[in-house]
């Protein structure tokens, strides 16, 4: 089976003016064929996320008219705009909406679903989206719609902004992408208002960003990130937030949007594998956005000088939101407009400098979590997740069900590159159940094709093994397929084990089950509202690679050595080198030396000629 949403890298989609003109031409033909006598452009099967969608397609038609002057479009724009203003602008409070600060304000808003009281919780983001569709349309409305209709649209947009910022609590779902989108809507609206009012709205938008978003960022992997549904990052919504930050910078010129976007972009770059696979987040653990992310990933790929476009998107939404039948939907239409307007092109080569939470070279990558434990290992086109044993997750030595990977103190990291190799040494102080402090030294070395991992720890009593990951997925052309195996070798014994117990808390990689499905099954709340990251933390056991110690290691150490990306026999020798440790393989020789004057361990590395 294939993962349903992680498809091709986003930078593989043509982004030339000609390609975008073809997209708009297709949208135009679909919309003109769909337009009802009343002016409705909604997808016939749409029932939620609907309050802004007809207006979104209207904005796409207006944008297409600006580029092509197709004489069929003005009448379609006017009729569909009239439909939205007549049928989709609500001013009576939605029964059951829980986030109002002002009752019966009479201000306009958009509904997530049209039936009164049916699902009011989604009205805040739907109104943000409606505001963005409106301001996009205002940007191109001159000469296209009559002044009276334009004035009504502007008044509605002004009312949307007031409803979002005065009548309701701001960002009630704690969703960073929605909140930054609201700020962008205010910044764009301000340009259409009289100067004094426009400056007031602009100042209010920037103030909301600083006070309600920026001041509440969450730290993860060394970065401060806009909170997303209660978490630091979501691999679906995080790149959408990046697009909003790009547009905020484009519209306002305020440097803080560029600074925060670059921080988020570097974070995404570090957690993304070379192949663009990623998982994790407080809402949609493996669902990926597509065209909604292009603006931000492309804009900031150029600013930080790295190939963020390797991010695997959902190509079913490659150009615009689409229904199950592939038909155009107006949801997120403004993002398509912005990415066409922005002249930035993809930066397609990796960043060259070391990143603390990433090791990457060639087709190999390791993304590290906040504790400098691998969160994803990629080698040979296969992706390995942290395995679980006895409710503990990670990569590291295991003794009697205890995983030695959670640091008790500062984690030391040293990066080293030669002409042929890239390496990262991670040293962690770890306390086991016996309360003894041990130092786990993990050396990761890659030649761009294979990854060698060598882990040394003060000798443990009993018979430890190295928890070496859960083989989870593999590249399959433009798709990612589920797997339960990978090309791995160990200098000691190696076994692939599967849970003996049954149930949602035991993940067997041989089953046709995705990590996302298992995570939601373990989440406290229903799918779509639960936190799959929290759910996955309840995992008791999983499929796991377990590697035995290297034979003939120094008597006072347990050393484990594993190579990912090749199943050929692996021979590793480990011996003392003065106060250090010499590790020799067929591909390299490394010496983990004594600590320097700052307490940092020395590292030398030399490739072995074949």
């Amino acid at each position: 089976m294939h993962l349903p949403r992680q498809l091709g890298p986003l930078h593989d989609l043509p982004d030339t003016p000609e390609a975008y003109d073809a997209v708009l031409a297709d949208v135009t033909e679909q919309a003109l064929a769909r337009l009802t006598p009343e002016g409705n452009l909604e997808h016939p099967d749409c029932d939620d996320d609907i309050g802004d969608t007809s207006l979104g397609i209207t904005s796409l038609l207006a944008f297409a008219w600006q580029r092509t002057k197709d004489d069929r479009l003005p009448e379609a724009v006017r009729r569909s705009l009239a439909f939205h203003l007549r049928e989709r602008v609500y001013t009576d409070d939605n029964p059951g909406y829980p986030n109002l600060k002002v009752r019966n304000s009479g201000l306009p808003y958009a509904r997530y679903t049209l039936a009164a009281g049916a699902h009011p919780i989604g009205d805040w983001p739907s109104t943000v989206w409606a505001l963005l569709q409106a301001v996009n349309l205002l940007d191109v409305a001159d000469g296209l719609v009559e002044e009276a209709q334009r004035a009504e649209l502007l008044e509605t947009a002004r009312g949307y902004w007031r409803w979002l910022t005065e009548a309701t609590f701001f960002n009630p779902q704690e969703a960073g992408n929605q909140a930054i989108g609201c700020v962008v809507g205010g910044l764009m609206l301000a340009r259409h208002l009289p100067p004094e009012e426009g400056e007031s709205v602009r100042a209010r938008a920037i103030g909301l960003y600083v006070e309600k978003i920026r001041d509440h960022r969450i730290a993860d992997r060394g970065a401060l990130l806009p909170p997303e549904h209660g978490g630091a990052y979501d691999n679906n919504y995080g790149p959408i937030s990046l697009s909003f930050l790009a547009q905020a910078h484009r519209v306002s010129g305020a440097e803080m949007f560029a600074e925060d976007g670059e921080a988020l972009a570097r974070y995404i770059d570090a957690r993304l594998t070379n192949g663009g696979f990623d998982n994790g987040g407080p809402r949609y653990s493996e669902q990926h956005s597509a065209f909604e992310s292009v603006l931000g990933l492309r804009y900031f790929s150029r600013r930080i000088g790295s190939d963020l476009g390797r991010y695997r998107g959902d190509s079913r939404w490659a150009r615009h939101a689409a229904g199950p039948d592939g038909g155009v939907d107006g949801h997120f239409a403004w993002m398509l407009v912005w990415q066409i307007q922005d002249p930035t092109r993809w930066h397609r080569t990796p960043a060259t400098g070391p990143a603390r939470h990433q090791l990457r070279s060639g087709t190999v990558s390791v993304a590290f979590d906040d504790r400098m434990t691998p969160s994803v290992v990629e080698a040979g086109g296969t992706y390995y997740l942290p395995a679980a044993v006895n409710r503990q997750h990670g990569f590291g030595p295991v003794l009697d069900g205890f995983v030695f990977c959670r640091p008790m103190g500062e984690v030391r990291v040293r990066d080293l590159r030669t002409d042929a190799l890239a390496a990262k040494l991670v040293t962690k102080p770890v306390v086991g159940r016996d309360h003894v402090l041990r130092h786990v030294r993990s050396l990761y070395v890659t030649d761009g094709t294979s990854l060698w991992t060598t882990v040394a720890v003060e000798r443990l009593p009993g018979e430890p093994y190295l928890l070496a990951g859960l083989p989870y997925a593999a590249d399959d052309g433009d798709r990612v397929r589920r797997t339960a195996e990978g090309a791995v070798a160990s200098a000691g014994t190696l076994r692939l084990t599967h849970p003996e117990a049954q149930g949602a808390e035991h993940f067997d990689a041989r089953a046709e089950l995705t990590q996302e499905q298992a995570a939601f099954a373990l989440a406290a709340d229903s799918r779509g509202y639960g936190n799959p990251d929290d759910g996955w933390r309840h995992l008791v056991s999983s499929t796991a690679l377990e590697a035995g110690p290297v034979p003939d290691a120094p008597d006072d150490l347990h050393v484990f050595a594993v190579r990912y990306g090749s199943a050929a026999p692996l021979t590793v020798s480990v011996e003392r080198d003065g106060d250090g440790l010499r590790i020799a393989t067929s591909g390299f020789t490394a010496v983990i030396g004594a600590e320097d004057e700052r307490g940092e361990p020395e590292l030398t590395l030399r490739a072995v000629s074949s």
Side-chain angles (χ1 to χ4, degrees):
M1 61 177 290
H2 289 99
L3 299 185
R5 295 177 177 85
Q6 299 217 19
L7 307 176
L10 290 180
H11 63 198
D12 286 352
L13 291 168
D15 63 344
T16 62
E18 294 77 15
Y20 284 128
D21 283 338
V23 172
L24 289 174
D26 175 56
V27 169
T28 294
E29 297 307 320
Q30 285 196 54
L32 292 176
R34 178 186 298 172
L35 184 65
T36 69
E38 297 78 19
N40 190 350
L41 286 171
E42 292 160 1
H43 191 287
D45 295 331
C46 185
D47 57 12
D48 57 20
D49 273 325
I50 192 173
D52 66 292
T53 60
S54 182
L55 186 61
I57 297 181
T58 302
S59 73
L60 290 176
L61 294 180
F63 185 58
W65 175 82
Q66 186 187 53
R67 291 167 70 89
T68 66
K69 295 301 186 285
D70 185 332
D71 60 12
R72 299 174 299 169
L73 296 179
E75 177 60 22
V77 169
R78 294 166 193 153
R79 282 173 55 198
S80 58
L81 175 55
F83 168 81
H84 178 83
L85 294 173
R86 184 181 68 248
E87 303 289 343
R88 294 295 181 259
V89 178
Y90 295 84
T91 55
D92 294 334
D93 293 353
N94 198 352
Y97 186 70
N99 299 315
L100 289 176
K101 294 195 298 182
V102 179
R103 297 294 305 276
N104 303 313
S105 67
L107 292 170
Y109 66 95
R111 286 186 177 175
Y112 177 75
T113 58
L114 301 181
H119 193 70
I121 196 69
D123 289 355
W124 202 86
S126 290
T127 304
V128 173
W129 285 192
L131 171 62
L132 292 168
Q133 315 287 21
V135 292
N136 262 359
L137 185 52
L138 286 168
D139 281 350
V140 296
D142 290 340
L144 181 59
V145 301
E146 296 178 355
E147 182 56 35
Q149 196 179 40
R150 185 188 185 282
E152 186 179 358
L153 176 63
L154 177 58
E155 187 61 27
T156 300
R158 181 190 277 118
Y160 284 154
W161 170 253
R162 291 188 59 201
W163 188 86
L164 290 163
T165 59
E166 297 174 21
T168 70
F169 290 95
F170 184 82
N171 190 22
Q173 295 184 21
E174 298 182 0
N177 73 101
Q178 299 170 8
I180 305 171
C182 183
V183 168
V184 171
L187 294 171
M188 295 183 70
L189 173 65
R191 303 184 300 183
H192 295 283
L193 298 172
E196 186 175 346
E197 182 186 1
E199 183 53 39
S200 175
V201 170
R202 173 188 163 90
R204 174 69 169 147
I206 290 178
L208 284 168
Y209 179 75
V210 172
E211 297 165 16
K212 299 292 187 179
I213 304 170
R214 200 175 205 228
D215 288 351
H216 296 276
R217 287 176 297 171
I218 298 175
D220 186 47
R221 308 186 195 192
L224 288 174
L225 308 171
E228 191 56 67
H229 287 283
Y233 175 82
D234 185 282
N235 67 349
N236 181 19
Y237 293 132
I240 298 175
S241 284
L242 193 65
S243 287
F244 281 127
L245 288 168
Q247 182 67 1
H249 185 245
R250 292 180 67 235
V251 171
S252 72
E255 277 305 302
M256 67 176 174
F257 295 120
E259 293 167 3
D260 294 354
E262 289 178 12
L264 176 55
R266 290 191 178 93
Y267 172 88
I268 293 174
D269 189 34
R271 70 175 288 144
L272 267 188
T273 57
N274 178 76
F277 171 83
D278 187 22
N279 74 302
R283 282 296 294 275
Y284 299 115
S285 186
E286 286 182 327
Q287 292 190 32
H288 272 43
S289 51
F291 79 99
E292 320 100 287
S293 301
V294 166
L295 173 65
L297 293 168
R298 192 176 64 192
Y299 190 81
F300 286 105
S301 75
R302 183 64 55 182
R303 289 188 67 93
I304 71 169
S306 194
D307 56 337
L308 296 178
R310 70 187 189 275
Y311 177 95
R312 287 184 180 269
D314 187 343
S315 61
R316 297 173 303 176
W317 278 29
R319 297 301 195 180
H320 50 69
D325 62 355
V328 63
D329 186 305
H331 197 48
F332 282 102
W334 25 268
M335 204 71 91
L336 176 58
V337 173
W338 300 343
Q339 67 169 273
I340 296 174
Q341 291 173 331
D342 178 49
T344 308
R345 298 279 73 87
W346 291 109
H347 181 94
R348 295 181 178 273
T349 56
T352 56
R356 178 178 174 89
H357 296 278
Q358 181 195 64
L359 175 66
R360 182 179 174 210
S361 178
T363 59
V364 171
S365 61
V366 185
F368 296 87
D369 65 16
D370 229 11
R371 304 178 303 187
M372 288 306 297
T373 297
S375 59
V376 185
V377 169
E378 172 195 23
T382 299
Y383 303 98
Y384 304 84
L385 302 180
V389 58
N390 195 30
R391 301 183 184 275
Q392 299 167 81
H393 302 189
F395 289 75
V398 178
L399 179 67
D400 297 332
F402 184 88
V403 184
F404 290 81
C405 69
R406 292 171 299 281
M408 179 67 75
E410 191 65 24
V411 179
R412 309 276 187 164
V413 178
R414 171 151 289 190
D415 286 275
L416 183 64
R417 284 183 178 265
T418 69
D419 290 341
L421 301 170
K424 187 183 293 287
L425 174 63
V426 178
T427 304
K428 295 182 184 182
V430 176
V431 174
R433 288 201 178 103
D434 56 5
H435 303 287
V436 174
L437 181 69
R438 295 177 172 85
H439 292 81
V440 178
R441 290 174 288 177
S442 301
L443 177 64
Y444 305 87
V445 179
T446 179
D447 60 0
T449 301
S450 297
L451 172 72
W452 288 267
T453 300
T454 307
V455 179
V457 62
E458 289 89 348
R459 180 161 287 271
L460 297 160
E463 299 182 1
Y465 65 88
L466 180 72
L467 192 63
L470 155 66
Y472 176 70
D475 291 334
D476 187 9
D478 286 340
R479 303 294 303 273
V480 179
R481 61 177 171 80
R482 282 280 288 103
T483 190
E485 58 187 12
V488 182
S490 170
T493 59
L494 182 67
R495 56 188 178 268
L496 180 64
T497 65
H498 304 285
E500 296 181 0
Q502 302 294 312
E505 66 273 23
H506 305 282
F507 187 82
D508 191 327
R510 297 170 298 182
E512 291 195 356
L513 186 70
T514 67
Q515 188 269 350
E516 177 185 352
Q517 292 168 325
F520 271 114
L522 294 169
D525 297 307
S526 58
R527 194 189 187 290
Y529 301 97
N531 184 333
D533 273 6
D534 281 348
W536 188 250
R537 293 186 188 103
H538 292 297
L539 198 68
V540 174
S541 64
S542 74
T543 293
L545 287 161
E546 300 176 357
V550 174
D552 302 322
D555 292 341
D556 60 337
L557 296 176
H558 269 121
V559 181
F560 310 88
V562 173
R563 184 187 60 225
Y564 303 86
S566 171
L570 173 63
T571 301
V572 176
S573 67
V574 182
E575 58 186 26
R576 288 292 182 188
D577 187 298
D579 293 333
L581 195 66
R582 178 180 295 273
I583 301 165
T585 75
S586 60
F588 68 90
T589 297
V591 176
I592 302 174
E595 296 177 352
D596 63 16
E597 66 278 3
R598 295 169 300 171
E600 302 288 345
E602 297 284 356
L603 177 63
T604 60
L605 182 67
R606 179 176 59 83
V608 174
S609 301
S610 57

